[in-house]
Amino acid sequence: MKSDNRGRVHVGIHPWNENRYADIELPFNPSNDFHRYGFLWTKNAISFVIDGHPMTTLTDLPPDTYPQKTLKGFIMGNTWIGTADWGGGPPQQNATVTYEWVRFYQGATSIPQ
């Protein structure tokens, strides 16, 4: 059964000792259907994207976050819901997550449609 309850997603970067993040209120319930979540990392910013639309952008990043070609990182998705204000730990009850696909576009300069 589909629900009208909306969701929230927590996005962030963690370069060295500085954490930058945002919580995005979703205009939909993410458990009702698959959606495309992503980010575009450019020279001056990292934009977080949902279904091809930029939702929030982190700018004024520490200079050590560039250039992208010298840094290593990873993409992570999980169901850690933990505390009410951040994904601080594993779920207290059974939780399920399903991914339809994961894709990486090396060298992207714009948001793929």
Side-chain angles (χ1 to χ4, degrees):
M1 180 164 95
K2 293 197 175 204
S3 168
D4 291 332
N5 294 338
R6 295 181 177 189
R8 187 170 95 165
V9 66
H10 178 84
V11 298
I13 62 168
H14 308 284
W16 298 267
N17 293 325
E18 182 176 340
N19 294 325
R20 300 286 304 275
Y21 64 90
D23 289 315
I24 302 170
E25 296 293 328
L26 300 174
F28 54 82
N29 183 324
S31 66
N32 287 343
D33 205 352
F34 288 106
H35 292 273
R36 292 183 302 126
Y37 301 88
F39 61 91
L40 178 64
W41 185 355
T42 61
K43 182 177 179 184
N44 299 312
I46 297 176
S47 296
F48 293 92
V49 179
I50 300 175
D51 293 332
H53 302 285
M55 301 300 285
T56 191
T57 300
L58 300 179
T59 58
D60 191 29
L61 301 173
D64 288 346
T65 57
Y66 303 108
Q68 302 97 312
K69 292 180 182 182
T70 63
L71 295 176
K72 296 181 180 181
F74 58 92
I75 300 169
M76 180 177 70
N78 63 43
T79 58
W80 282 43
I81 53 178
T83 63
D85 63 342
W86 198 81
Q92 300 299 309
Q93 56 190 343
N94 289 341
T96 301
V97 63
T98 303
Y99 299 99
E100 187 175 41
W101 50 265
V102 175
R103 190 169 293 147
F104 171 71
Y105 298 94
Q106 186 170 351
T109 58
S110 63
I111 299 165
Q113 295 302 315

